[in-house]
Amino acid sequence: MKIYFAGPLFTIYERDYISACAKVLRQHDIDPFVPHEGDKTIVPTDTRSRAKRCFDADFGGINDASAMLALINGAEVDDGTACEIGIFHSLMQSDPSRKGIVALHDDWRTREGGEGKGINSFVLGCLKEVGVVCHTLDEAVEQLVAWKLELESEVTV
Amino acid sequence: MKIYFAGPLFTPYVRTYISQQAEVLRQHGIDPFVPHESFRPVVSAETAQMLVKRGLIDAAQAAGPDLPRLVDELTWDSKVSRAELGLSQLTPEEIFRRDYEGLSSADAVLALLDGSQTDDGTACEIGIFYGLMRQDPGKKGVVGLMTDFRGINRADHGFGTNLFVWGVIEECGVLVGSFEEALAQLKAWDTP
């Protein structure tokens, strides 16, 4: 099952963490699109803007995915990640074969009863409608594997 | 033309700004769905009296046309709970359901992008609308409005917006650095 791995990828440790999680997913036969792992070589004849190149590459990954794993840690959900969650929600409305969004969340600033401001209600409502919020990678993997099995059984039927 | 007015509506001054600009849009024949205005309660005379008794509003306010907004602001500030007003709790599910209704029925989105990053709720709404546009060619697009000087200073670099969010807006609309430009774009889309 192809999934899109959304998350803040601006620091070396964020990218390292996401890549390490992606490795675990691959061990479970889940195929994650990891934005920062893509080929960043620019062909000289490519006249697209940086934003357009980023959009084309990442939207391609989202559009090909049957599910999304979204790392929503941070003082708020990273804006790029939140935007990708919204796009996947819309794609799901017109394509029932897409399974859903698993949010991975263990930031104490946005945990219930934590010291921070909590998760944005609109984003949380969106996630709850089409997915689940997990607190460990194990839980997230378990949900993704369940969806993968569902998808495989749907294909054979 | 109906639009959805997205933005970080967590403080009274941002809500005031959004409501004021929404009024300007209405004067130009554009019909904005303003999320925080959609939660304004119908206030009964008994409730108004209770709020006067508690010193939260005065008698003139209780009888005035601005009462629903004042009472709504009291709930945002936790001065009075929704339960005390006889209103249901606003769960994330309920907030999403109401806002999604406004978003999915809109022809365009005006998104206020101010802040150290685009507010996550706003970013999510931009993504949803872009996804809906792919299914419905009648929808016009997204205008990203930056009034934050940190973004204005980087006008040539997507106003300092996240590269992916910038890319999405570039795909289905424009990024602008003033409300006047945003209004001009919305009016252009509104022209048959």
Short mmCIF file of all heavy atoms in Angstrom, two decimals, chain A residues 37 48 74 81 99 120:
data_model
loop_
_atom_site.label_atom_id
_atom_site.label_comp_id
_atom_site.label_asym_id
_atom_site.label_seq_id
_atom_site.Cartn_x
_atom_site.Cartn_y
_atom_site.Cartn_z
N GLU A 37 13.04 12.66 0.66
CA GLU A 37 13.90 11.62 0.09
C GLU A 37 13.85 11.62 -1.44
O GLU A 37 14.62 10.92 -2.09
CB GLU A 37 13.48 10.23 0.62
CG GLU A 37 13.81 10.05 2.10
CD GLU A 37 13.39 8.68 2.64
OE1 GLU A 37 12.75 7.92 1.89
OE2 GLU A 37 13.71 8.40 3.81
N ARG A 48 10.00 25.67 -14.18
CA ARG A 48 9.01 25.82 -13.12
C ARG A 48 9.60 26.55 -11.91
O ARG A 48 10.79 26.46 -11.65
CB ARG A 48 8.51 24.44 -12.66
CG ARG A 48 7.70 23.68 -13.70
CD ARG A 48 7.37 22.28 -13.21
NE ARG A 48 8.60 21.51 -12.92
CZ ARG A 48 8.62 20.36 -12.25
NH1 ARG A 48 7.51 19.84 -11.78
NH2 ARG A 48 9.76 19.73 -12.05
N GLY A 74 4.49 19.68 17.14
CA GLY A 74 4.86 21.08 16.96
C GLY A 74 3.94 21.93 17.80
O GLY A 74 2.92 21.44 18.30
N THR A 81 1.98 20.46 6.30
CA THR A 81 1.33 19.20 6.69
C THR A 81 -0.19 19.38 6.78
O THR A 81 -0.96 18.56 6.29
CB THR A 81 1.88 18.75 8.06
OG1 THR A 81 3.30 18.66 7.96
CG2 THR A 81 1.31 17.41 8.49
N LYS A 99 -8.05 5.08 2.07
CA LYS A 99 -8.38 4.57 3.40
C LYS A 99 -8.52 5.63 4.48
O LYS A 99 -9.43 5.56 5.31
CB LYS A 99 -7.31 3.55 3.82
CG LYS A 99 -7.40 2.26 3.03
CD LYS A 99 -8.75 1.63 3.32
CE LYS A 99 -9.09 0.50 2.40
NZ LYS A 99 -10.48 0.05 2.64
N ASN A 120 -5.40 22.36 16.90
CA ASN A 120 -6.41 23.19 16.22
C ASN A 120 -7.69 22.38 16.01
O ASN A 120 -7.64 21.26 15.49
CB ASN A 120 -5.82 23.66 14.88
CG ASN A 120 -6.80 24.45 14.06
OD1 ASN A 120 -7.73 23.92 13.48
ND2 ASN A 120 -6.60 25.75 14.02
#
